[in-house]
Amino acid sequence: MSFVITPIPTAIADMQSLPLVGLLLATLIVLGVTIWVMTRYRKWLRDLGDSAAKLAQGDLSTRVPTNGPPDIAALADTLNQMAEQLDGRLSEVAEQRHELDRLESIRQDFVANVSHELRTPISAVKAAAETLLDEHEHAPDGPIDTAAHVNFLKIILRQSDRLQSIVEDLLSLASIEQGNREGAIELTAAPLSPLIAAAVETVQAKADAKNISIRTRCETGLMAVMNRMLLEQALINLIDNAVKYSPEGTVVEVDAGSANDEVVIQVTDHGRGIEPAHLPRLFERFYRTDKARSRALGGTGLGLSIVKHIAEAHGGRVQVESRVGQGSRFTLVIQPGGGPR
């Protein structure tokens, strides 16, 4: 058996090289980890930058990934919250802008409709008056056609009455709206049956002229929290409309009762009904399903709008169901206690 004796200098050199190898390996490992981490960070930062760029361009639906390291995840979460809040604010602004646009459209329609509604009676009154003056100027001492004069005077009177009705309805509507805004409409508990009887009595002459029967049914002892004058006006408007648009010899029904802790009043006619396309706009000011027929029947185009505002003044609502050729049913619902004030 023999031993190989390594020279001392060589052994020392080998021992000195071991730390260098370890250091080299450690350096390689650290470098690898650093490259891996930097690569991951670069990806997270690139995603963060891309998302931030999209947000800056106005794409507020973009959300930054939050699966990175804590510092980047916190920054991403902050950006996401900011985008969500900004998106919400912009949605609110857009909704307000839409509402303002809608109100402006309603205002423009209202002004146009008022002008249109007033133009017809004013033109008729003006023409009739001018004709009377013209006849007087051209034949001051000659024969005067009394029948023609009477006819023109009737036109003036009829159109003046229509003007007065429009003005009164506009003032009534403005008063109800103002009272609603200011909470100045007083509501008290009262029996409903006498109010229905009074409303029917007001319309009875028109119903009799068309041989229309008005049948009423009211739940015994039914009470409602109401402003009697306004609620009676709403019922008169609904019953008057039912009579106005019903054929001769038919029946108009007025039913009142309670359901789901609400007071429900229904006015039903058996007339020609309303086309479905008209129903969503039926309670708008001056909206008419048949303008020529409505004017011929003496309507101002404000009656149903007044009913709607009176219902809202009572914390309630009004709705309509109709079938062409079968008739219409208007339902006035009053919330218990008159609703929130």
Side-chain angles (χ1 to χ4, degrees), residues 284-302:
E284 293 180 12
R285 295 174 177 88
F286 293 112
Y287 187 79
R288 301 175 187 270
T289 59
D290 186 339
K291 293 184 178 181
R293 186 165 182 259
S294 295
R295 292 196 186 97
L297 293 172
T300 64
L302 292 167

Side-chain angles (χ1 to χ4, degrees), residues 20-252:
L20 292 177
V21 172
L23 179 62
L24 179 60
L25 289 174
T27 301
L28 290 175
I29 291 172
V30 169
L31 182 61
V33 170
T34 302
I35 293 173
W36 179 82
V37 169
M38 289 301 298
T39 302
R40 296 287 293 175
Y41 259 86
R42 286 179 63 184
K43 180 180 184 305
W44 288 322
L45 290 172
R46 185 170 60 251
D47 291 343
L48 186 66
D50 291 342
S51 299
K54 290 180 181 179
L55 291 174
Q57 293 170 2
D59 183 5
L60 298 180
S61 63
T62 298
R63 293 294 178 267
V64 184
T66 57
N67 58 348
D71 52 347
I72 293 181
L75 179 58
D77 190 53
T78 300
L79 284 174
N80 287 338
Q81 290 181 18
M82 182 184 70
E84 187 173 348
Q85 292 174 1
L86 186 57
D87 191 28
R89 295 284 177 84
L90 288 177
S91 296
E92 290 177 7
V93 171
E95 185 176 345
Q96 291 174 358
R97 179 59 184 271
H98 175 73
E99 182 67 16
L100 289 174
D101 289 344
R102 190 180 72 84
L103 290 175
E104 177 61 17
S105 176
I106 291 174
R107 187 192 69 80
Q108 291 176 355
D109 287 346
F110 178 69
V111 171
N113 286 331
V114 168
S115 302
H116 183 74
E117 291 294 332
L118 294 179
R119 186 181 296 119
T120 300
I122 289 173
S123 298
V125 170
K126 185 173 183 292
E130 287 175 345
T131 302
L132 289 174
L133 288 173
D134 185 64
E135 286 192 9
H136 176 73
E137 289 173 359
H138 287 84
D141 301 320
I144 297 177
D145 188 345
T146 305
H149 278 208
V150 169
N151 183 54
F152 285 123
L153 288 171
K154 286 181 178 179
I155 292 174
I156 291 175
L157 180 61
R158 185 168 62 251
Q159 297 298 337
S160 297
D161 286 342
R162 183 164 172 234
L163 275 173
Q164 183 179 4
S165 296
I166 292 174
V167 171
E168 286 177 353
D169 278 356
L170 283 171
L171 290 174
S172 177
L173 193 54
S175 175
I176 295 168
E177 288 181 321
Q178 183 178 0
N180 233 351
R181 286 194 302 270
E182 299 175 358
I185 296 176
E186 294 184 4
L187 304 172
T188 56
L192 195 57
S193 181
L195 184 141
I196 294 175
V200 170
E201 184 179 358
T202 302
V203 185
Q204 192 65 59
K206 289 184 179 179
D208 291 342
K210 295 180 67 175
N211 193 28
I212 290 175
S213 174
I214 303 178
R215 297 178 184 170
T216 62
R217 288 185 291 270
C218 183
E219 186 178 301
T220 303
L222 184 62
M223 300 283 289
V225 175
M226 68 176 85
N227 180 294
R228 181 183 173 89
M229 184 183 70
L230 290 181
L231 191 58
E232 184 175 333
Q233 183 180 357
L235 286 179
I236 289 172
N237 287 2
L238 291 177
I239 299 170
D240 184 71
N241 262 14
V243 170
K244 192 181 297 181
Y245 293 103
S246 291
E248 293 190 8
T250 55
V251 176
V252 169

